Amino acid sequence: MLRAIARAERTVCLETYILRSDRTGERFAEALAERAAAGVEVNLLYDAWGSSVSAAYIADLRAAGVRTVAFRPFAVNTPFEKFARRNHRKILVVDSYVGVTGGMNIADDYASPEDGGAGWRDTQLLLEGPAAAELQYLFLRTWRRSGGPPLDDRRYGVEGRRADPQVRIVGTGLPRRRRWVRDEYRHAIDRSTRRLWITNAYFLPPLRMIHAINEAARRGVDVRVMVAGTTDVPAVLFASRGIYGRMLKAGVKLYEWRGRVLHAKTAVIDGRWSTVGSSNLDAQSLRKNLEVNAIVEDERFAAAVERMFLEDLGSCEEITEKQWRKRSLLERAASWTAYLAREWL
């Protein structure tokens, strides 16, 4: 991402849920400021709730020529439903042609230990061509609706938008598209015939999706779900465990990741359909937040995602039905209580 920013000649569009003024945040601030000083139009859109940046950090960016917008900052007169809907996307687009999306935010948690970060396990996808232009379309639309400064439209090449036969960008927040990501998942799950492998950090799908996943397992599909056993939100893990029983009974293989925090959101189905994005499989992502996923229909890419999944299994503990029946009453109560609050986790 930093290399892509450094090569920008016309525009940089960066959208993130979490932006922190830590070491990683400072590295990005320096990269954005350097390009703004070189005459590039640099736009930064960050979620006001998810981010924790100082006033001085934003002031320095603006003084350097970086145009910044906080998405839905808190205001006393803001309706709760509107405020609760956050911008959870992760988008970088450079010169309308290079794009990056996935699960990574701009903070030390996501940087490698070699760079002084926590080395969370996450997945990010680099795109070139029409798919990057689609990411830019989502960014620009949200930028304008969030009151961002006027754009120099000549720089963005929006007239060049066209469909990519292998990569589709699906994002919530568009008119009549609030459940676009959820519907794409459901359609792919319903069509699965051989393999359905999901990695999702915060796994609390709606009941219809749970039924679809279980039904796939019952008809003989190799269904495997990897969730974050090491997590920054323990309540979500407890709530997720509340649905393990019915999934194990249906034949789903469940794995909990151990080690550094798992934050990835990927899936691969039948060696052909894959997705990488910001969407968790929970109520917040699938019904409320602004999200974006890239859907790739390509066998070589799917094979790479499958290899990544198999490698990650080495850091996981499989949850078996026999093991699950031995839970203590306290564990059962914690899971059930958390599951009741799943709509707000």
Side-chain angles (χ1 to χ4, degrees), residues 10-28:
R10 300 189 311 276
T11 60
V12 174
C13 299
L14 179 60
E15 182 173 358
T16 186
Y17 174 60
I18 294 175
L19 174 66
R20 295 196 187 124
S21 45
D22 54 17
R23 180 174 176 177
T24 299
E26 290 293 344
R27 292 182 70 192
F28 273 82

Side-chain angles (χ1 to χ4, degrees), residues 209-226:
M209 186 174 287
I210 294 172
H211 293 158
I213 293 170
N214 289 348
E215 181 55 33
R218 292 190 187 100
R219 63 174 182 266
V221 177
D222 175 13
V223 181
R224 308 183 191 188
V225 177
M226 186 184 303

Side-chain angles (χ1 to χ4, degrees), residues 93-118:
V93 184
V94 173
D95 292 340
S96 308
Y97 184 77
V98 176
V100 182
T101 193
M104 293 184 184
N105 293 292
I106 310 301
D108 282 349
D109 290 336
Y110 306 86
S112 68
E114 293 77 11
D115 287 330

Side-chain angles (χ1 to χ4, degrees), residues 13-15 45 89-94 96-102 124-143 156 158 161-162 167-171 174 276-278 291-295:
C13 299
L14 179 60
E15 182 173 358
L45 176 61
R89 294 175 183 158
K90 290 85 176 166
I91 291 175
L92 170 67
V93 184
V94 173
S96 308
Y97 184 77
V98 176
V100 182
T101 193
Q124 202 86 329
L125 180 62
L126 176 67
L127 300 163
E128 294 182 354
E134 289 302 302
L135 286 174
Q136 180 180 266
Y137 170 77
L138 288 177
F139 176 93
L140 295 179
R141 189 177 187 281
T142 308
W143 177 266
Y156 292 89
V158 292
R161 287 181 62 206
R162 64 186 189 280
V167 184
R168 289 181 292 118
I169 300 300
V170 296
L174 297 173
V276 177
S278 68
E291 304 283 2
V292 62
N293 274 45
I295 294 176

